[in-house]
Each structure stands twice: as structure tokens, then as C-alpha cells.
Amino acid sequence: MTKDWQTVIGLEIHVQLATHSKLFCGCSARYGDKPNSNVCPVCLGLPGALPVTNAKAVALAVRASLSLGCNVHVKSEFARKNYFYPDLPKGYQISQFDRPLATGGSVTIDSPDRGGVDIRLTRLHLEEDAGKSIHDRYEGLTAIDYNRAGIPLAEIVTEADLHTPQETRLVLDQLKQTLQYIDVSDCSMELGRLRVDVNVSVRPRGDLTLGVKQEAKNLNSFTAVERVIRELRDSQIKTLQAGQPVQQATFSAGNGPGALRMTRRKEESHDYRYFPDPDLPVLYLDERFITNEAAQLPELPRVRSERLRSEFGLKEGDAVVITATRDLADYFEAVVHAGSAPLKSAHWVTGPVLRDANEHAGRFRVSPSTLATLIGLVADGTISNQAAKRVFVSIAASGKQPLDVAKTMGVLQVSDGNAIGTWIDAVFVRYPDELQRLRGGEEKLLGFFMGQVMKESKGSADPRSLSDDLRKQLHQPDDPS
Ligand code: ADP
Ligand code: ZN
Ligand code: MG
């Protein structure tokens, strides 16, 4: 039924900026402290208290804007957004309205339906968070924790350029990845540091005017975002097909599917009576400050992935996995700089290293140089690739050196000619006919003898020396003795 309808989606994303203190006072922004312990007259909105802007928060928001290609304005303005809600002690939220910190910019995604598309950003502005209502602590009462009130957020607003839940997911994944790369936010959704409002409308395919939108606020998982888009889309299409108009409305998402609750019928910006905050000066940024921030931006994921492909010949899939986080990409490059071949390094990093990190809270338990040493042991034939995998598991847990562990495990390969010669002789005695055929030039028997000698050596023969020794037997006339 979605065939004749086009879904239109726009996002408003709130990201907590990684500062130690709040946006307009010195209170700690730490998570998990005793409720209402990080509060002061400023963030509680007591009469006479004056806000002072946190420079670190501004710097982080500028960095975020630059990484998204936004145009950062030298002059922006804080405004009061007035509304009443118990978690808002001042009766207004300090935000930015008609003079935001930054405008424009885009996020490029590879849409499954449309290929590469730029999703335009409308703006990025600074604002403070509200407190938190807690409904399940006291029977019949709502408790409020103001520790979160005043914590700095960047709000990023997209144009209504998205058309499917999948595209929306791609934009969110990429935004999150970028903001993590530049250390603007850890984007932990569990801790409420990334929250998404989705705006959804539908229109007959081909129509140019937008349909009436409905909004779902404060979604704290990307799965919930996708689900809510589908729910709103399907219900709007149903309404329109029944000949009814869609009602503009705001929802908040409860837990589980189908748990959308309508909280407001309509809401327009003029309801908030925005006006410039008289307690805060206009925010002027020095041009040099902006250029300096731009110069310090790290290489962003897409660019880095491209570079790893062209510089080291990585496959696209591996480059994408390796650049998924800055830590992993840094780790990979450190392994290569420690002297390992890039493709071998990529193989290790996307496999055993990543698996071990995922099982240990993202920690890399084997240092890049130790991994390079291990890879070196395989490269020079000291241990086999199979044995190296087991050595890795062991050194990850023990922190020991690869060669020591390999010795203790007894997996050192023997390339010593005498030992190999003894094993070969034993096998030759066992298979005289096959030996004669080998010497007559039957090359395919090399594999057979490789296997037999390996077995004889209990896996410790170095395959390269072994293969060299066996090849020497080819085309050799029988020993007359
Ligand atoms: P409001 O004034 O209700 O906050 P905005 O114009 O500020 O609306 O837009 C808020 C978000 O909603 C933006 O992400 C925007 O792209 C998106 N949006 C606006 N109109 C529509 C629409 N008709 N359908 C889907 N999304 C929309
Ligand atoms: Zn405070
Ligand atoms: Mg708006």
C-alpha cells in the first residue's frame, strides 16, 4: 500500500556535548550522581542568578558544525523558549532560535533506493537540557532530578529530505560515527546522550507539497526510530485512504511497538514566545577561532576509509569495518607502522582483534606492536597461521610475549633440515611406490607427501622448508643402493 505514497521524514537530533560542566554554570555534567546533587541557583533558575556561557561547549558545537559542513556564524544569539513543565525549573529553556550557531551542511548516505544522496542539514544550535521526571520511584508521585537541567546539547535539524526508515537509519549511524570521531560526544543512547525526534508525513507520490506532519519525540534507540516511522507512515496512509485528513500531532514513544502516545495536538514555534535572552550577551566568535577548529578536525570516517583503500589496497568492506571507529582505525595504522603488511594486518584487525575488543568493552588487549610481532612470526615461518590464532587468544589474556607463548605451547615450526629430513625419510620408507612416482616427476604427489610428513611431525614442520625439500625429490632417479 506504500507504493502510491511517498514518505517524507525530517529529524531533530539532540546530542550531549562532552563537557565536564553545564552550559551556563559550573555544575558537574557527570552522569549517575545522586539526584539533585549537581545543581546551583543558575541551573535551578533562582531569582538573580546569572548564566555564563561554557566556552568548551561552544568549541565542541563549532567542531560538530564544521565536521558536518555547516556554515558557522560569527554572530549567534541565545533565546528563551518559554513553556511550563515540571522538569524545566526556570520556566524557559535557553536555546537558539532565529540566530543559530550554524546553518547548512549535509550528511551523505548510500541510499538503498537512490544511491548516494546528500541529506541537507537545516541548522545546528546550542541549547540546554531539561531535568528528568522519574515516574516509577514513588507510588503515585513523580520525582524530578535536576542534575541534567542545563547540560549542554547540540540540536541538529535536517531538512525533510529522507524517504524511508532505512535512509533515516543511515543518516543517524553516520552522524553518530562522525560525532564520536571528533570527540564531541560519546553518543551513548543508553545514557540519553543522543535522542531523536522524528517528523513524518506522507503524500501522493509525485506531489510537490508536503503532507501534514506528525512528530515523535525523544526516541532513544535507532530501532525505535525506524519502528515509529513505519507506524506513523502506515497510520497516516490509512487515514488518507479513508478520506480523512491527517491531524498534526506530537507523540512520545513508550516502550515496545504500538506504544505511541499523543501528547499534543498542535505546536507552533510562536507558542513558545521565543525572545533573545537578556541575561546573555550575543555570542561572537573570532574568525581565527573557527579556522583553528577547522584545522584541528581529524580525518573523518569516509575520507579515512578512502585513504586506507588507496594507500594500502584494502577492500572496501575491510576499510569500512576498520574505520567504523577512530580507535580501531588508529590501531590498524599503528600495526602497519610497526611493520606488518597492510593486508595481513587488516585480516587480523577485522577478525581476532575486533572480536576480542568486542568481548572486552572495546579494549584492545594486545598492543599494535605486539600484534605486529605475532604477525611477523607467521611471516618468517616461526609459527603457522593456525597456531598464531591460538597464541593471540593466549597473549590477549596474559599480556605475555608472542614468542614465549608459542614456545610454551610447543607450536614453533621446525625448519631445521635434519629434523625435517628424519620425518621425510620415515615417510619415504612407508610409501616406496609413491616415492618412485614422485621421483618420476608426478608432481601431484607433493601434496600427499606434504600431508604425510606434517602428520609425522605432528604439525610442527615448517611447510615452506618441507615443500622445498620435497620438490628436490622430483625428477631424481632412484638411489641405486
Ligand atoms: P516545527 O516548526 O513544527 O518545529 P520545523 O519546520 O522546524 O517544524 O521542522 C522540524 C523538523 O520537521 C525538520 O526536521 C523538518 O525537516 C521536518 N519537517 C517539516 N515539515 C515536514 C513534513 N511535512 N514532513 C516531514 N518532516 C517535516
Ligand atoms: Zn548549576
Ligand atoms: Mg522546529
Side-chain angles (χ1 to χ4, degrees), residues 16-315:
Q16 180 174 333
L17 300 168
T19 58
H20 293 296
S21 55
K22 294 187 179 181
L23 185 51
F24 298 112
C25 61
C27 289
S28 170
R30 211 171 22 238
Y31 180 87
D33 282 357
K34 189 168 164 286
N36 298 308
S37 60
N38 298 326
V39 291
C40 74
V42 174
C43 54
L44 288 178
L46 301 186
L50 283 176
V52 177
T53 308
N54 180 337
K56 177 76 192 290
V58 175
L60 290 175
V62 167
R63 200 188 297 172
S65 307
L66 293 168
S67 74
L68 299 169
C70 309
N71 179 19
V72 178
H73 301 297
V74 174
K75 182 180 173 189
S76 69
E77 187 176 77
F78 289 106
R80 292 186 180 180
K81 180 180 185 180
N82 299 280
Y83 65 99
F84 173 78
Y85 205 72
D87 64 16
L88 194 68
K90 296 201 288 282
Y92 60 85
Q93 175 193 29
I94 305 177
S95 179
Q96 295 191 299
F97 186 52
D98 42 18
R99 283 185 156 278
L101 181 75
T103 51
S106 63
V107 174
T108 306
I109 56 164
D110 295 313
S111 163
D113 311 307
R114 301 188 276 164
V117 268
D118 284 345
I119 305 305
R120 291 167 302 158
L121 301 178
T122 315
R123 57 192 275 150
L124 184 153
H125 69 248
L126 273 161
E127 65 181 32
E128 57 176 349
D129 208 345
K132 190 174 178 194
S133 305
I134 302 160
H135 302 292
D136 55 5
R137 178 155 316 183
Y138 304 107
E139 177 81 39
L141 297 171
T142 293
I144 298 172
D145 179 4
Y146 287 125
N147 282 354
R148 215 176 67 182
I151 279 181
L153 305 176
E155 177 172 336
I156 301 164
V157 183
T158 77
E159 294 288 306
D161 281 351
L162 293 157
H163 296 303
T164 61
Q166 297 90 315
E167 288 183 356
T168 307
R169 175 64 176 256
L170 290 173
V171 164
L172 290 170
D173 281 339
Q174 206 176 306
L175 255 170
K176 182 175 167 188
Q177 187 191 29
T178 301
L179 297 170
Q180 288 172 335
Y181 248 71
I182 60 175
D183 293 327
V184 154
S185 177
D186 69 4
C187 295
S188 162
M189 299 192 83
E190 294 77 37
L191 303 188
R193 290 181 181 149
L194 176 62
R195 280 136 36 202
V196 183
D197 300 346
V198 287
N199 299 268
V200 180
S201 64
V202 297
R203 62 183 170 192
R205 200 168 282 284
D207 257 24
L208 292 179
T209 48
L210 290 171
V212 174
K213 79 174 160 78
Q214 294 181 321
E215 178 174 9
K217 279 189 178 296
N218 262 324
L219 304 173
N220 60 2
S221 81
F222 292 170
T223 315
V225 169
E226 292 186 78
R227 189 189 65 229
V228 160
I229 292 170
R230 287 194 298 269
E231 282 174 20
L232 291 177
R233 173 196 67 194
D234 292 348
S235 93
Q236 289 175 15
I237 292 173
K238 214 167 132 194
T239 303
L240 292 171
Q241 281 179 334
Q244 305 288 318
V246 169
Q247 298 280 335
Q248 186 184 323
T250 301
F251 297 85
S252 74
N255 296 324
L260 281 181
R261 281 182 296 118
M262 194 192 289
T263 48
R264 282 185 286 259
R265 273 215 179 282
K266 211 165 158 121
E267 163 193 299
E268 309 262 4
S269 60
H270 62 246
D271 295 335
Y272 292 118
R273 304 277 188 273
Y274 278 99
F275 63 86
D277 193 310
D279 288 342
L280 283 160
V282 166
L283 181 61
Y284 283 104
L285 299 177
D286 193 323
E287 289 277 12
R288 278 169 309 179
F289 168 75
I290 301 172
T291 24
N292 193 39
E293 282 294 330
Q296 284 177 26
L297 275 185
E299 193 179 24
L300 296 171
R302 277 185 166 247
V303 177
R304 193 163 190 181
S305 167
E306 280 303 317
R307 178 175 61 78
L308 294 188
R309 289 176 66 189
S310 61
E311 194 173 328
F312 299 126
L314 298 193
K315 281 183 296 191

Side-chain angles (χ1 to χ4, degrees), residues 441-463:
E442 211 174 305
E443 219 165 305
K444 68 173 195 283
L445 278 168
L446 279 173
F448 166 76
F449 278 105
M450 284 282 290
Q452 290 303 321
V453 178
M454 266 299 176
K455 218 154 118 195
E456 183 69 20
S457 78
K458 301 195 173 58
S460 66
D462 169 24

Side-chain angles (χ1 to χ4, degrees), residues 338-399:
S340 292
L343 296 185
K344 286 264 182 314
S345 308
H347 192 73
W348 276 90
V349 169
T350 56
V353 171
L354 190 54
R355 213 171 308 128
D356 190 67
N358 286 340
E359 285 162 8
H360 295 89
R363 265 188 321 120
F364 299 118
R365 301 195 301 163
V366 174
S367 75
S369 61
T370 306
L371 179 64
T373 306
L374 178 62
I375 296 173
L377 292 180
V378 180
D380 68 15
T382 311
I383 58 178
S384 70
N385 202 42
Q386 277 316 103
K389 297 252 162 71
R390 287 190 286 138
V391 171
F392 179 84
V393 172
S394 168
I395 57 177
S398 67

